[in-house]
Amino acid sequence: MGMSDDIHVRGGKHTLVASGNTMTIDGDDTYDLTALKAVSYDAVRRHLNGAYQGTDFKIQFKQDKRTRMFILTTNHRDENLEAYRQSWLQLVDRIETIAIPHLGDSIVAAVRANETVSIGPAGGKVILSPQGVKKGGLFGKQVPWAQVTGTDVNDGVIRVLGSKAPGAAETVIGGVPVTEWNSRVLPYVVSLLKG
């Protein structure tokens, strides 16, 4: 499938059409993947008192002063599960091909221009600066880019890895929950800035 192919997805009462660089929800709320301020996406299995309730496939956009979530929800019998999963994966592929590089390049440019950029909420964020990466909070220790080795995803958290001292064993520097704004941009940014 090329990026010129339109993707039409209907979830509940809402419709999303992906066409080229845009995603339009309900025919009139359009988001340009090359102009987003932030993006988030995740698939979550819902449980209530231990009972499986269904799966949510979420995509969120932030552009200008607008924020919007599009969600595909299955019930406990998983009706439409495979169709929703395939549609969501197609949308995510388009986001990762267009939006992630645009967002990532702007963050990399900001860091290289001597700015500090935080990704994640107060309790689970990483701070990127020209000097390196550190975990948010009082006890975050700066790890120079030369000692940053990469990223991984573990238990719903995108983690930045590296050694806290030259030649030391690889460890987790900090992490951001996958559900947070721009957490998915973190691997792209780290791959460009690391040593």
Side-chain angles (χ1 to χ4, degrees):
M1 178 188 73
M3 289 299 152
S4 60
D5 299 338
D6 288 357
I7 305 168
H8 297 261
V9 182
R10 181 158 184 82
K13 298 177 183 170
H14 301 285
T15 306
L16 186 149
V17 176
S19 180
N21 288 343
T22 64
M23 291 197 180
T24 303
I25 300 171
D26 297 337
D28 62 357
D29 196 8
T30 299
Y31 293 83
D32 180 346
L33 297 180
T34 65
L36 294 178
K37 284 185 178 170
V39 68
S40 170
Y41 48 90
D42 195 23
V44 178
R45 295 174 67 83
R46 291 184 328 282
H47 293 84
L48 180 64
N49 297 329
Y52 175 66
Q53 299 294 305
T55 299
D56 292 342
F57 296 93
K58 299 181 210 172
I59 294 176
Q60 294 185 90
F61 305 107
K62 195 182 281 189
Q63 183 176 331
D64 308 319
K65 292 184 168 58
R66 299 176 298 140
T67 300
R68 185 73 184 262
M69 178 188 292
F70 182 76
I71 188 166
L72 298 167
T73 299
T74 71
N75 59 21
H76 67 280
R77 291 189 302 276
D78 276 342
E79 292 170 11
N80 301 317
L81 178 70
E82 193 51 34
Y84 283 175
R85 190 175 80 78
Q86 288 302 321
S87 295
W88 181 79
L89 287 171
Q90 287 180 323
L91 296 171
V92 165
D93 181 58
R94 189 156 303 190
I95 290 166
E96 289 181 342
T97 303
I98 301 169
I100 298 295
H102 276 276
L103 287 162
D105 289 346
S106 67
I107 292 170
V108 168
V111 170
R112 288 184 174 153
N114 220 20
E115 292 179 38
T116 298
V117 178
S118 293
I119 296 179
K125 70 178 170 184
V126 295
I127 301 167
L128 313 171
S129 72
Q131 294 74 39
V133 181
K134 71 176 189 170
K135 180 171 73 171
L138 295 174
F139 304 106
K141 180 180 182 289
Q142 184 92 33
V143 176
W145 286 111
Q147 292 164 216
V148 174
T149 54
T151 57
D152 72 2
V153 180
N154 188 305
D155 202 22
V157 175
I158 296 178
R159 307 182 312 173
V160 180
L161 307 172
S163 54
K164 294 193 175 175
E170 184 179 72
T171 187
V172 177
I173 299 167
V176 180
V178 294
T179 53
E180 293 299 326
W181 290 111
N182 287 345
S183 63
R184 305 286 186 163
V185 183
L186 199 51
Y188 181 90
V189 171
V190 168
S191 72
L192 291 179
L193 291 173
K194 71 184 179 74

